[in-house]
Amino acid sequence: MDKSCYTCRRRRIECEMSEPPCKKCKKAGLECFQERPLRWVVGATFRGKKKAASAKHASGAATKLSRGSPTGEGRYPRNLTNSDPTASSHAMEYGEDIPCENRGGSLDHFVLTVPVNPDDPFASSLDAVSKYYLYYYSKCVCKLFVMYDSKRNPLRNLIPAALSNPVLLTSIVALSARHMANGGQSFYELGTSTLPTLTDADHDALWFKYKAIRNISHALNNEKSHTNDTVVASAFLLIFLDLLESGSDKWNIHLEGVKKLITQSQPSMGSQADTGPSLGDTVQGIRDFIVRQMYLIDTLGATYTRPQLLSHMTSLPQPATPLQMTLDRSYLGCPEFLLDALRSFSICRDMLAGLDPLNEDSLNSDMENISIVLDLTRSFDCQAWASGLPQLHRHSTHDMDMLSALAEAYKAGALIYGRRVLDALVGDTTPLNDLVCGLIATIEALRCDEALFKCILWPMFVAGLESQQQDQRDFVISCLEKFWFETKCINVVNAANILRRFWKIGDSQQTLSSQWIFNIGQLGRDWLLI
């Protein structure tokens, strides 16, 4: 092509447009627009005249709002001084555009419409930084942790409560700041042993994380508010924050903490009028979403950690509806049956890893139970599961096939994991090359579906652990790179590093393939790879 793309023109750089996407946009992780994209706006948006200001004055204004300032807010993002607090409240609704392709980069070219209703009495007290990160959260972060984004996104429904609750607000701002900071980093640079240079965006993300943890800590020490739905939701968001940061540090601590909070709040879930702001009319939907995702995170997280690291979720309230909810209210879309099967496999693995040796009767009983669950897993009908899901909108045959492929990926991963547990029981190693090849083929089919591809890190990692051929390993690493490009979650970078170390150890030492179910949690830390 003989002209620059719109994205490069907007960034004021020379374009290398050979074919869309151009090389500059692809390298920077930006969406390559050939022409200026249309933006549909509901209601009027008013902007004041831009005041002339020197670089010196701009720097001074930023300093006043930097860390340690009387306002207590983080470093002021550039060009937010011109944000209009009277902007339309519709700007935060699903479907409105924000240039997420610039995440982590300069904000110099942003034209920011503050997504806050001016009639909201709490909105007027928000500083411009919080308003911006609420907007960024709505447009760029919420869609990462659900299968299909929509107006009913449970994470986006937290925003009204955040306007009046500083605990929830700081958790959202911390999550947004970290995602934006990650956007300026490279998959392969993060994979090196050298420590990355912390940018201003990294410092901001760390500062907001500190504020979020401090606010949650204060709320937990307050008897009137420690069981609030907003506190539970705030702590729950820290699990997602850990996925963005590493996927290995504190996610299990946050998980156990949220379990306890949910259990303690059960008796008072009927009314919270005396305990501070709640989540309003959406409270039951938010509770159900959190409980579902806690079960999913607890189940998948246990497979890559040291045995018996996580407590059992026996005391949590059951969701009002089945786990496989509508597609716009589900995180990863793993069928409930397969989660139950994986939980059975993990419990058996934990028993094998226990200090007390199992007697012959216990071993025989465990082998029989695992064999039964494996047979049931093999007979699980992924096509029927996909067809029975409540539909978000009219799906074509291709869409249904993709949903079925999503279930097939988790089914293959569960079969591999369960087979390795059975191998550990009988002291054998079963060749699983056909199953691994099928899983890799399913992952390849899902690469073209952005919404579903971001849901399959767990089975992708299983495929990597079982890959014996170099072309399979190269394929898995390329998929992890694409996953990073789509999500900017650093846990996927660590997943690639773990696999490289695992392959190096496996190629140099003669170890049983089944042993990874025990020692994967020993390769550095306990990992949440979802």
Side-chain angles (χ1 to χ4, degrees):
M1 300 179 67
D2 58 356
K3 65 177 182 177
S4 297
C5 70
Y6 173 78
T7 306
C8 287
R9 296 199 305 273
R10 187 87 182 273
R11 298 171 65 204
R12 296 184 175 90
I13 63 173
E14 183 179 358
C15 184
E16 298 179 6
M17 177 63 84
S18 55
E19 59 181 18
C22 74
K23 294 181 180 179
K24 290 287 181 67
C25 291
K26 186 175 182 180
K27 183 177 180 180
L30 309 181
E31 188 170 357
C32 185
F33 292 107
Q34 298 179 48
E35 303 293 341
R36 181 175 182 175
L38 292 175
R39 296 182 181 178
W40 296 94
V41 179
V42 181
T45 299
F46 303 95
R47 295 185 178 90
K49 294 183 179 179
K50 183 176 181 180
K51 297 180 180 180
S54 65
K56 180 178 179 180
H57 291 157
S59 176
T63 303
K64 293 180 181 179
L65 287 168
S66 63
R67 288 178 295 276
S69 68
T71 63
E73 299 304 329
R75 192 183 306 276
Y76 204 101
R78 285 175 286 176
N79 268 14
L80 295 186
T81 52
N82 297 322
S83 302
D84 182 6
T86 63
S88 168
S89 62
H90 293 284
M92 193 176 286
E93 291 186 2
Y94 170 74
E96 195 70 18
D97 181 48
I98 185 174
C100 297
E101 64 272 11
N102 286 315
R103 52 185 177 262
S106 170
L107 300 178
D108 288 336
H109 306 305
F110 280 14
V111 179
L112 180 63
T113 301
V114 180
V116 177
N117 187 342
D119 297 326
D120 191 318
F122 299 104
S124 60
S125 64
L126 289 182
D127 60 281
V129 178
S130 297
K131 291 176 182 178
Y132 172 75
Y133 279 118
L134 275 175
Y135 192 34
Y136 186 89
Y137 169 83
S138 177
K139 298 299 114 185
C140 303
V141 178
C142 291
K143 64 182 180 181
L144 295 180
F145 303 112
V146 294
M147 293 174 64
Y148 292 104
D149 196 13
S150 76
K151 290 182 180 180
R152 304 198 314 162
N153 188 322
L155 296 175
R156 188 175 289 108
N157 289 340
L158 292 173
I159 292 175
L163 294 177
S164 58
N165 188 284
V167 180
L168 183 56
L169 177 64
T170 51
S171 289
I172 288 176
V173 169
L175 194 63
S176 297
R178 171 46 57 194
H179 187 263
M180 176 173 281
N182 287 357
Q185 303 184 66
S186 163
F187 177 81
Y188 288 99
E189 288 176 354
L190 286 168
T192 61
S193 58
T194 55
L195 293 175
T197 302
L198 291 181
T199 64
D200 285 346
D202 290 311
H203 286 292
D204 289 342
L206 290 171
W207 168 246
F208 289 128
K209 177 185 177 182
Y210 160 74
K211 286 190 63 180
I213 294 176
R214 182 190 64 185
N215 286 351
I216 291 175
S217 178
H218 289 168
L220 293 176
N221 290 326
N222 185 337
E223 293 183 0
K224 292 185 178 181
S225 64
H226 81 280
T227 58
N228 263 9
D229 296 307
T230 48
V231 177
V232 174
S234 303
F236 174 72
L237 290 179
L238 294 183
I239 300 175
F240 291 150
L241 178 60
D242 195 72
L243 292 179
L244 292 175
E245 285 190 328
S246 68
S248 64
D249 290 333
K250 302 296 182 182
W251 67 269
N252 56 308
I253 297 176
H254 301 320
L255 182 69
E256 296 297 333
V258 177
K259 289 180 190 177
K260 185 178 296 186
L261 287 175
I262 292 176
T263 302
Q264 291 174 347
S265 65
Q266 279 183 255
S268 60
M269 275 190 169
S271 172
Q272 296 199 5
D274 299 328
T275 58
S278 69
L279 300 180
D281 295 336
T282 62
V283 63
Q284 189 60 52
I286 295 295
R287 286 197 197 113
D288 285 353
F289 174 78
I290 291 177
V291 170
R292 287 184 180 92
Q293 307 329 312
M294 291 287 290
Y295 183 79
L296 182 147
I297 293 168
D298 187 75
T299 302
L300 297 181
T303 59
Y304 294 145
T305 63
R306 289 166 292 165
Q308 301 178 344
L309 177 74
L310 303 177
S311 64
H312 295 299
M313 294 184 61
T314 56
S315 58
L316 288 183
Q318 293 298 313
T321 55
L323 187 65
Q324 48 200 54
M325 52 190 2
T326 54
L327 301 179
D328 58 344
R329 295 190 180 187
S330 180
Y331 178 16
L332 300 181
C334 178
E336 182 180 8
F337 174 84
L338 298 180
L339 287 176
D340 292 341
L342 280 170
R343 185 167 286 268
S344 298
F345 299 146
S346 291
I347 291 173
C348 183
R349 180 206 62 165
D350 288 357
M351 292 175 60
L352 281 171
L355 297 178
D356 298 328
L358 298 178
N359 57 44
E360 185 175 353
D361 290 339
S362 296
L363 285 173
N364 290 335
S365 176
D366 288 338
M367 284 188 286
E368 182 179 1
N369 290 336
I370 294 299
S371 297
I372 291 173
V373 177
L374 279 172
D375 289 339
L376 292 173
T377 303
R378 289 190 194 95
S379 62
F380 180 74
D381 192 335
C382 296
Q383 191 69 43
W385 171 82
S387 302
L389 287 174
Q391 299 304 307
L392 176 62
H393 48 72
R394 292 183 179 180
H395 283 284
S396 64
T397 302
H398 173 76
D399 294 329
M400 298 303 300
D401 288 342
M402 288 293 99
L403 288 169
S404 177
L406 174 68
E408 289 287 355
Y410 277 100
K411 176 180 175 179
L415 286 172
I416 291 172
Y417 190 87
R419 184 67 243 186
R420 290 309 179 209
V421 173
L422 186 58
D423 284 348
L425 280 167
V426 302
D428 196 5
T429 301
T430 304
L432 298 178
N433 188 58
D434 290 345
L435 197 54
V436 174
C437 289
L439 175 55
I440 288 178
T442 302
I443 294 171
E444 186 172 15
L446 288 167
R447 282 187 63 143
C448 62
D449 193 311
E450 180 181 344
L452 300 185
F453 184 76
K454 70 178 187 292
C455 299
I456 60 168
L457 179 57
W458 186 87
M460 200 184 302
F461 191 74
V462 172
L465 290 168
E466 288 286 339
S467 294
Q468 302 297 321
Q469 303 171 18
Q470 189 58 46
D471 60 334
Q472 292 178 335
R473 295 175 177 181
D474 292 341
F475 171 77
V476 171
I477 293 297
S478 70
C479 287
L480 294 177
E481 182 181 8
K482 175 178 172 59
F483 194 98
W484 161 257
F485 179 82
E486 298 290 349
T487 66
K488 302 302 181 186
C489 291
I490 293 181
N491 71 326
V492 72
V493 180
N494 287 327
N497 295 337
I498 296 167
L499 286 176
R500 293 188 185 101
R501 292 203 306 273
F502 180 80
W503 293 332
K504 185 177 181 179
I505 293 172
D507 291 343
S508 60
Q509 302 175 7
Q510 295 297 323
T511 58
L512 291 175
S513 298
S514 61
Q515 291 304 303
W516 66 259
I517 64 172
F518 298 108
N519 58 30
I520 194 61
Q522 307 302 322
L523 291 180
R525 302 177 184 129
D526 297 293
W527 301 96
L528 181 60
L529 303 177
I530 60 175

PDB file of all heavy atoms in Angstrom, residues 399-424:
ATOM      1  N   ASP A 399     -20.056 -20.567  15.052  1.00  0.00           N
ATOM      2  CA  ASP A 399     -19.942 -20.166  16.460  1.00  0.00           C
ATOM      3  C   ASP A 399     -20.149 -21.362  17.379  1.00  0.00           C
ATOM      4  O   ASP A 399     -19.438 -21.522  18.371  1.00  0.00           O
ATOM      5  CB  ASP A 399     -20.963 -19.080  16.784  1.00  0.00           C
ATOM      6  CG  ASP A 399     -20.682 -17.787  16.039  1.00  0.00           C
ATOM      7  OD1 ASP A 399     -19.508 -17.504  15.772  1.00  0.00           O
ATOM      8  OD2 ASP A 399     -21.648 -17.069  15.721  1.00  0.00           O
ATOM      9  N   MET A 400     -21.134 -22.179  17.088  1.00  0.00           N
ATOM     10  CA  MET A 400     -21.387 -23.350  17.918  1.00  0.00           C
ATOM     11  C   MET A 400     -20.225 -24.322  17.864  1.00  0.00           C
ATOM     12  O   MET A 400     -19.860 -24.945  18.864  1.00  0.00           O
ATOM     13  CB  MET A 400     -22.678 -24.052  17.465  1.00  0.00           C
ATOM     14  CG  MET A 400     -23.927 -23.190  17.608  1.00  0.00           C
ATOM     15  SD  MET A 400     -24.170 -22.596  19.302  1.00  0.00           S
ATOM     16  CE  MET A 400     -24.303 -24.139  20.170  1.00  0.00           C
ATOM     17  N   ASP A 401     -19.604 -24.448  16.697  1.00  0.00           N
ATOM     18  CA  ASP A 401     -18.438 -25.321  16.562  1.00  0.00           C
ATOM     19  C   ASP A 401     -17.277 -24.801  17.402  1.00  0.00           C
ATOM     20  O   ASP A 401     -16.523 -25.577  17.993  1.00  0.00           O
ATOM     21  CB  ASP A 401     -18.012 -25.424  15.098  1.00  0.00           C
ATOM     22  CG  ASP A 401     -18.981 -26.239  14.265  1.00  0.00           C
ATOM     23  OD1 ASP A 401     -19.784 -26.991  14.857  1.00  0.00           O
ATOM     24  OD2 ASP A 401     -18.956 -26.123  13.023  1.00  0.00           O
ATOM     25  N   MET A 402     -17.124 -23.471  17.452  1.00  0.00           N
ATOM     26  CA  MET A 402     -16.048 -22.892  18.252  1.00  0.00           C
ATOM     27  C   MET A 402     -16.290 -23.121  19.747  1.00  0.00           C
ATOM     28  O   MET A 402     -15.357 -23.420  20.495  1.00  0.00           O
ATOM     29  CB  MET A 402     -15.919 -21.395  17.962  1.00  0.00           C
ATOM     30  CG  MET A 402     -15.346 -21.047  16.604  1.00  0.00           C
ATOM     31  SD  MET A 402     -13.592 -21.537  16.428  1.00  0.00           S
ATOM     32  CE  MET A 402     -13.770 -23.091  15.535  1.00  0.00           C
ATOM     33  N   LEU A 403     -17.531 -22.981  20.196  1.00  0.00           N
ATOM     34  CA  LEU A 403     -17.857 -23.249  21.596  1.00  0.00           C
ATOM     35  C   LEU A 403     -17.626 -24.722  21.931  1.00  0.00           C
ATOM     36  O   LEU A 403     -17.139 -25.056  23.019  1.00  0.00           O
ATOM     37  CB  LEU A 403     -19.305 -22.863  21.890  1.00  0.00           C
ATOM     38  CG  LEU A 403     -19.600 -21.363  21.940  1.00  0.00           C
ATOM     39  CD1 LEU A 403     -21.103 -21.121  21.967  1.00  0.00           C
ATOM     40  CD2 LEU A 403     -18.937 -20.729  23.148  1.00  0.00           C
ATOM     41  N   SER A 404     -17.963 -25.588  20.988  1.00  0.00           N
ATOM     42  CA  SER A 404     -17.703 -27.013  21.183  1.00  0.00           C
ATOM     43  C   SER A 404     -16.197 -27.275  21.255  1.00  0.00           C
ATOM     44  O   SER A 404     -15.729 -28.088  22.064  1.00  0.00           O
ATOM     45  CB  SER A 404     -18.331 -27.826  20.051  1.00  0.00           C
ATOM     46  OG  SER A 404     -18.044 -29.202  20.183  1.00  0.00           O
ATOM     47  N   ALA A 405     -15.416 -26.567  20.426  1.00  0.00           N
ATOM     48  CA  ALA A 405     -13.959 -26.720  20.449  1.00  0.00           C
ATOM     49  C   ALA A 405     -13.380 -26.244  21.781  1.00  0.00           C
ATOM     50  O   ALA A 405     -12.418 -26.826  22.297  1.00  0.00           O
ATOM     51  CB  ALA A 405     -13.338 -25.945  19.291  1.00  0.00           C
ATOM     52  N   LEU A 406     -13.970 -25.184  22.342  1.00  0.00           N
ATOM     53  CA  LEU A 406     -13.532 -24.715  23.655  1.00  0.00           C
ATOM     54  C   LEU A 406     -13.688 -25.822  24.693  1.00  0.00           C
ATOM     55  O   LEU A 406     -12.772 -26.094  25.486  1.00  0.00           O
ATOM     56  CB  LEU A 406     -14.346 -23.487  24.062  1.00  0.00           C
ATOM     57  CG  LEU A 406     -14.110 -22.953  25.475  1.00  0.00           C
ATOM     58  CD1 LEU A 406     -12.713 -22.361  25.597  1.00  0.00           C
ATOM     59  CD2 LEU A 406     -15.166 -21.916  25.845  1.00  0.00           C
ATOM     60  N   ALA A 407     -14.854 -26.467  24.687  1.00  0.00           N
ATOM     61  CA  ALA A 407     -15.084 -27.569  25.619  1.00  0.00           C
ATOM     62  C   ALA A 407     -14.147 -28.739  25.331  1.00  0.00           C
ATOM     63  O   ALA A 407     -13.653 -29.402  26.255  1.00  0.00           O
ATOM     64  CB  ALA A 407     -16.540 -28.026  25.533  1.00  0.00           C
ATOM     65  N   GLU A 408     -13.868 -29.009  24.039  1.00  0.00           N
ATOM     66  CA  GLU A 408     -12.951 -30.090  23.671  1.00  0.00           C
ATOM     67  C   GLU A 408     -11.548 -29.843  24.218  1.00  0.00           C
ATOM     68  O   GLU A 408     -10.851 -30.780  24.630  1.00  0.00           O
ATOM     69  CB  GLU A 408     -12.894 -30.231  22.148  1.00  0.00           C
ATOM     70  CG  GLU A 408     -14.138 -30.808  21.498  1.00  0.00           C
ATOM     71  CD  GLU A 408     -14.297 -32.305  21.743  1.00  0.00           C
ATOM     72  OE1 GLU A 408     -13.384 -32.914  22.348  1.00  0.00           O
ATOM     73  OE2 GLU A 408     -15.326 -32.849  21.332  1.00  0.00           O
ATOM     74  N   ALA A 409     -11.120 -28.579  24.221  1.00  0.00           N
ATOM     75  CA  ALA A 409      -9.792 -28.250  24.747  1.00  0.00           C
ATOM     76  C   ALA A 409      -9.711 -28.595  26.230  1.00  0.00           C
ATOM     77  O   ALA A 409      -8.728 -29.200  26.695  1.00  0.00           O
ATOM     78  CB  ALA A 409      -9.485 -26.769  24.516  1.00  0.00           C
ATOM     79  N   TYR A 410     -10.734 -28.198  26.992  1.00  0.00           N
ATOM     80  CA  TYR A 410     -10.733 -28.526  28.423  1.00  0.00           C
ATOM     81  C   TYR A 410     -10.923 -30.016  28.654  1.00  0.00           C
ATOM     82  O   TYR A 410     -10.368 -30.591  29.603  1.00  0.00           O
ATOM     83  CB  TYR A 410     -11.818 -27.722  29.135  1.00  0.00           C
ATOM     84  CG  TYR A 410     -11.378 -26.330  29.482  1.00  0.00           C
ATOM     85  CD1 TYR A 410     -11.759 -25.238  28.691  1.00  0.00           C
ATOM     86  CD2 TYR A 410     -10.557 -26.086  30.575  1.00  0.00           C
ATOM     87  CE1 TYR A 410     -11.331 -23.946  29.003  1.00  0.00           C
ATOM     88  CE2 TYR A 410     -10.129 -24.813  30.893  1.00  0.00           C
ATOM     89  CZ  TYR A 410     -10.518 -23.743  30.102  1.00  0.00           C
ATOM     90  OH  TYR A 410     -10.087 -22.482  30.403  1.00  0.00           O
ATOM     91  N   LYS A 411     -11.695 -30.668  27.803  1.00  0.00           N
ATOM     92  CA  LYS A 411     -11.892 -32.110  27.936  1.00  0.00           C
ATOM     93  C   LYS A 411     -10.569 -32.849  27.726  1.00  0.00           C
ATOM     94  O   LYS A 411     -10.216 -33.740  28.516  1.00  0.00           O
ATOM     95  CB  LYS A 411     -12.930 -32.582  26.906  1.00  0.00           C
ATOM     96  CG  LYS A 411     -13.144 -34.092  26.886  1.00  0.00           C
ATOM     97  CD  LYS A 411     -14.186 -34.476  25.841  1.00  0.00           C
ATOM     98  CE  LYS A 411     -14.339 -35.978  25.719  1.00  0.00           C
ATOM     99  NZ  LYS A 411     -15.377 -36.350  24.704  1.00  0.00           N
ATOM    100  N   ALA A 412      -9.823 -32.477  26.679  1.00  0.00           N
ATOM    101  CA  ALA A 412      -8.535 -33.124  26.421  1.00  0.00           C
ATOM    102  C   ALA A 412      -7.557 -32.861  27.566  1.00  0.00           C
ATOM    103  O   ALA A 412      -6.835 -33.760  28.002  1.00  0.00           O
ATOM    104  CB  ALA A 412      -7.953 -32.626  25.099  1.00  0.00           C
ATOM    105  N   GLY A 413      -7.534 -31.616  28.057  1.00  0.00           N
ATOM    106  CA  GLY A 413      -6.658 -31.301  29.173  1.00  0.00           C
ATOM    107  C   GLY A 413      -7.011 -32.097  30.421  1.00  0.00           C
ATOM    108  O   GLY A 413      -6.131 -32.583  31.146  1.00  0.00           O
ATOM    109  N   ALA A 414      -8.319 -32.235  30.696  1.00  0.00           N
ATOM    110  CA  ALA A 414      -8.762 -33.004  31.860  1.00  0.00           C
ATOM    111  C   ALA A 414      -8.413 -34.480  31.714  1.00  0.00           C
ATOM    112  O   ALA A 414      -8.007 -35.139  32.688  1.00  0.00           O
ATOM    113  CB  ALA A 414     -10.272 -32.828  32.051  1.00  0.00           C
ATOM    114  N   LEU A 415      -8.558 -35.023  30.510  1.00  0.00           N
ATOM    115  CA  LEU A 415      -8.210 -36.428  30.275  1.00  0.00           C
ATOM    116  C   LEU A 415      -6.717 -36.665  30.491  1.00  0.00           C
ATOM    117  O   LEU A 415      -6.311 -37.681  31.084  1.00  0.00           O
ATOM    118  CB  LEU A 415      -8.612 -36.841  28.862  1.00  0.00           C
ATOM    119  CG  LEU A 415     -10.107 -37.057  28.617  1.00  0.00           C
ATOM    120  CD1 LEU A 415     -10.386 -37.278  27.130  1.00  0.00           C
ATOM    121  CD2 LEU A 415     -10.629 -38.242  29.431  1.00  0.00           C
ATOM    122  N   ILE A 416      -5.898 -35.746  30.008  1.00  0.00           N
ATOM    123  CA  ILE A 416      -4.449 -35.887  30.195  1.00  0.00           C
ATOM    124  C   ILE A 416      -4.097 -35.813  31.679  1.00  0.00           C
ATOM    125  O   ILE A 416      -3.332 -36.645  32.193  1.00  0.00           O
ATOM    126  CB  ILE A 416      -3.705 -34.790  29.402  1.00  0.00           C
ATOM    127  CG1 ILE A 416      -3.853 -35.039  27.894  1.00  0.00           C
ATOM    128  CG2 ILE A 416      -2.222 -34.751  29.781  1.00  0.00           C
ATOM    129  CD1 ILE A 416      -3.321 -33.912  27.026  1.00  0.00           C
ATOM    130  N   TYR A 417      -4.659 -34.842  32.364  1.00  0.00           N
ATOM    131  CA  TYR A 417      -4.362 -34.683  33.787  1.00  0.00           C
ATOM    132  C   TYR A 417      -4.830 -35.917  34.573  1.00  0.00           C
ATOM    133  O   TYR A 417      -4.078 -36.453  35.411  1.00  0.00           O
ATOM    134  CB  TYR A 417      -5.043 -33.425  34.312  1.00  0.00           C
ATOM    135  CG  TYR A 417      -4.619 -33.044  35.708  1.00  0.00           C
ATOM    136  CD1 TYR A 417      -3.496 -32.254  35.923  1.00  0.00           C
ATOM    137  CD2 TYR A 417      -5.343 -33.470  36.821  1.00  0.00           C
ATOM    138  CE1 TYR A 417      -3.097 -31.906  37.210  1.00  0.00           C
ATOM    139  CE2 TYR A 417      -4.957 -33.127  38.104  1.00  0.00           C
ATOM    140  CZ  TYR A 417      -3.839 -32.344  38.292  1.00  0.00           C
ATOM    141  OH  TYR A 417      -3.443 -32.004  39.567  1.00  0.00           O
ATOM    142  N   GLY A 418      -6.042 -36.374  34.305  1.00  0.00           N
ATOM    143  CA  GLY A 418      -6.563 -37.546  35.001  1.00  0.00           C
ATOM    144  C   GLY A 418      -5.770 -38.796  34.704  1.00  0.00           C
ATOM    145  O   GLY A 418      -5.542 -39.636  35.588  1.00  0.00           O
ATOM    146  N   ARG A 419      -5.335 -38.946  33.461  1.00  0.00           N
ATOM    147  CA  ARG A 419      -4.537 -40.118  33.086  1.00  0.00           C
ATOM    148  C   ARG A 419      -3.208 -40.125  33.820  1.00  0.00           C
ATOM    149  O   ARG A 419      -2.726 -41.173  34.255  1.00  0.00           O
ATOM    150  CB  ARG A 419      -4.310 -40.101  31.571  1.00  0.00           C
ATOM    151  CG  ARG A 419      -3.571 -41.304  31.020  1.00  0.00           C
ATOM    152  CD  ARG A 419      -4.382 -42.576  31.148  1.00  0.00           C
ATOM    153  NE  ARG A 419      -3.724 -43.538  32.029  1.00  0.00           N
ATOM    154  CZ  ARG A 419      -4.165 -44.766  32.222  1.00  0.00           C
ATOM    155  NH1 ARG A 419      -5.266 -45.189  31.612  1.00  0.00           N
ATOM    156  NH2 ARG A 419      -3.530 -45.584  33.039  1.00  0.00           N
ATOM    157  N   ARG A 420      -2.616 -38.940  33.997  1.00  0.00           N
ATOM    158  CA  ARG A 420      -1.332 -38.866  34.709  1.00  0.00           C
ATOM    159  C   ARG A 420      -1.515 -39.175  36.198  1.00  0.00           C
ATOM    160  O   ARG A 420      -0.623 -39.729  36.834  1.00  0.00           O
ATOM    161  CB  ARG A 420      -0.701 -37.489  34.513  1.00  0.00           C
ATOM    162  CG  ARG A 420      -0.201 -37.236  33.096  1.00  0.00           C
ATOM    163  CD  ARG A 420       0.676 -38.352  32.613  1.00  0.00           C
ATOM    164  NE  ARG A 420       1.171 -38.165  31.256  1.00  0.00           N
ATOM    165  CZ  ARG A 420       1.472 -39.166  30.430  1.00  0.00           C
ATOM    166  NH1 ARG A 420       1.287 -40.422  30.834  1.00  0.00           N
ATOM    167  NH2 ARG A 420       1.935 -38.924  29.219  1.00  0.00           N
ATOM    168  N   VAL A 421      -2.661 -38.812  36.763  1.00  0.00           N
ATOM    169  CA  VAL A 421      -2.947 -39.182  38.155  1.00  0.00           C
ATOM    170  C   VAL A 421      -3.088 -40.699  38.269  1.00  0.00           C
ATOM    171  O   VAL A 421      -2.548 -41.312  39.205  1.00  0.00           O
ATOM    172  CB  VAL A 421      -4.218 -38.471  38.659  1.00  0.00           C
ATOM    173  CG1 VAL A 421      -4.618 -38.995  40.036  1.00  0.00           C
ATOM    174  CG2 VAL A 421      -4.000 -36.964  38.721  1.00  0.00           C
ATOM    175  N   LEU A 422      -3.791 -41.306  37.315  1.00  0.00           N
ATOM    176  CA  LEU A 422      -3.927 -42.764  37.327  1.00  0.00           C
ATOM    177  C   LEU A 422      -2.574 -43.434  37.125  1.00  0.00           C
ATOM    178  O   LEU A 422      -2.281 -44.459  37.764  1.00  0.00           O
ATOM    179  CB  LEU A 422      -4.910 -43.199  36.241  1.00  0.00           C
ATOM    180  CG  LEU A 422      -5.266 -44.696  36.210  1.00  0.00           C
ATOM    181  CD1 LEU A 422      -5.863 -45.138  37.545  1.00  0.00           C
ATOM    182  CD2 LEU A 422      -6.223 -44.999  35.062  1.00  0.00           C
ATOM    183  N   ASP A 423      -1.729 -42.873  36.263  1.00  0.00           N
ATOM    184  CA  ASP A 423      -0.378 -43.414  36.072  1.00  0.00           C
ATOM    185  C   ASP A 423       0.406 -43.397  37.376  1.00  0.00           C
ATOM    186  O   ASP A 423       1.155 -44.329  37.688  1.00  0.00           O
ATOM    187  CB  ASP A 423       0.376 -42.597  35.021  1.00  0.00           C
ATOM    188  CG  ASP A 423      -0.081 -42.917  33.603  1.00  0.00           C
ATOM    189  OD1 ASP A 423      -0.809 -43.909  33.418  1.00  0.00           O
ATOM    190  OD2 ASP A 423       0.278 -42.162  32.677  1.00  0.00           O
ATOM    191  N   ALA A 424       0.248 -42.314  38.145  1.00  0.00           N
ATOM    192  CA  ALA A 424       0.954 -42.218  39.423  1.00  0.00           C
ATOM    193  C   ALA A 424       0.445 -43.276  40.406  1.00  0.00           C
ATOM    194  O   ALA A 424       1.207 -43.808  41.222  1.00  0.00           O
ATOM    195  CB  ALA A 424       0.784 -40.823  40.013  1.00  0.00           C
TER     196      ALA A 424
END
